[in-house]
Amino acid sequence: MAVVYFWWLIVTYLTIKYISTHFTMSTRMTLYAHSVLDGGIKSIFLPKKIVYTLIDATYIFMPPLSIKLIKSIFSLSTRSIALERDNLNLEINFLKSQINPHFLFNSLNNIYTLSIKSDQRASTLILHLSDLIRYTLYESEAEKVLLSRELSFLEDFIELERVRYGNNVTINFRIEGEVEDQPIVPLVLFPFIENAFKHGADASIGPAWVSIFLKIEEKTLLFEVANSVGKGVVKSEFNGVGINNVKKRLQLHYANNYKLNIEPAESQYKITLLINI
């Protein structure tokens, strides 16, 4: 900037000197020429002349500099958004690829036990587990999926949990409304259900319960998950990595078109999610 400015001073001086020598100037232009030329070329580097010429040069430099500054700010903003999106995509991919190893281990153990007993439910559970893994690994790569397919995935998970917990956990899963043609971001509901079993059923010594309700009314999805809370469970434990990730995903994909309410209490933990889909 300093080099360009002093170059501008010299060019201005030489240009005004050439014009004043070879052309007739107006009164206003003559006054301007005297202000530049008086004192010789050395005088343009005096503080007074520098300030005067700087004000003059501002009109020349400000438009391109302003454009450059705006472009730089826009570029930095775009890069920042891109980096944030990349980070969220990494978190989303991590969430999509994440099936609790304990869940898989317990499900396989249950299937093994049923197969030894020649229980007909074993083949059905294998089908549920296979469908669950297929959806997580392949189908959830899309930005959005049909709500009916997402619910099928959730049902697979819940059925495996029913067998896992048996009569120790009462599971209620209800769906209302037309879900066939509604789009939704994949695996955005799953962490809440997983959380309900992890901190509700797993943390309870005695009988526990999990209640899941989904309703579609026009273009609004209402999703409620509630579970019993075991004694000694710290409420902050419910806000783990999975829940934080899903909050970011909701903000990324639905922005101001959703509302999430989390209600921790002594006897139960409940989340209510409203999405304009």
Side-chain angles (χ1 to χ4, degrees), residues 44-234:
I44 66 176
F45 297 106
L46 295 175
K48 183 179 179 180
K49 287 287 184 71
I50 288 177
V51 172
Y52 183 81
T53 312
L54 180 62
I55 295 171
D56 185 50
T58 300
Y59 293 98
I60 304 297
F61 287 117
M62 281 308 293
L65 286 177
S66 297
I67 293 171
K68 176 64 176 175
L69 181 61
I70 291 170
K71 286 177 66 178
S72 297
I73 293 172
F74 181 77
S75 176
L76 287 172
S77 177
T78 303
R79 286 172 59 191
S80 176
I81 292 171
L83 285 172
E84 184 178 355
R85 182 177 292 271
D86 288 343
N87 287 334
L88 284 173
N89 284 334
L90 287 173
E91 291 178 353
I92 289 168
N93 290 332
F94 172 74
L95 178 63
K96 286 179 177 180
S97 64
Q98 177 181 300
I99 298 180
N100 194 316
H102 294 293
F103 167 76
L104 288 175
F105 180 75
N106 289 326
S107 296
L108 290 171
N109 269 344
N110 291 331
I111 293 171
Y112 175 71
T113 302
L114 292 175
S115 65
I116 290 177
K117 297 178 180 178
S118 298
D119 193 317
Q120 293 181 352
R121 291 180 297 170
S123 59
T124 304
L125 292 180
I126 291 172
L127 196 60
H128 283 308
L129 186 58
S130 173
D131 194 44
L132 185 147
I133 294 173
R134 183 188 304 110
Y135 180 78
T136 306
L137 294 179
Y138 303 112
E139 297 179 43
S140 63
E141 290 300 316
E143 183 175 344
K144 288 192 176 182
V145 296
L146 290 177
L147 178 58
S148 56
R149 184 65 187 94
E150 179 78 2
L151 291 177
S152 177
F153 165 79
L154 296 179
E155 287 171 348
D156 287 328
F157 177 80
I158 291 168
E159 286 306 311
L160 288 166
E161 293 292 76
R162 284 187 196 276
V163 174
R164 176 186 174 189
Y165 291 107
N167 296 326
N168 293 325
V169 179
T170 302
I171 303 172
N172 184 21
F173 184 28
R174 293 186 299 125
I175 300 172
E176 292 183 10
E178 183 59 47
V179 300
E180 290 300 323
D181 300 323
Q182 304 294 341
I184 192 170
V185 175
L187 298 177
V188 75
L189 305 178
F190 174 65
F192 298 113
I193 296 178
E194 184 184 40
N195 216 45
F197 284 103
K198 180 181 178 182
H199 297 293
D202 281 355
S204 299
I205 298 175
W209 57 269
V210 174
S211 177
I212 304 161
F213 175 64
L214 186 142
K215 181 180 180 180
I216 291 289
E217 189 171 356
E218 294 182 352
K219 289 294 182 180
T220 302
L221 181 149
L222 169 64
F223 183 62
E224 294 179 344
V225 180
N227 60 269
S228 57
V229 176
K231 292 182 179 180
V233 175
V234 181

Side-chain angles (χ1 to χ4, degrees), residues 239-251:
N239 293 317
V241 175
I243 298 301
N244 289 331
N245 274 345
V246 80
K247 286 179 180 178
K248 291 178 182 178
R249 294 187 67 202
L250 285 168
Q251 183 60 37

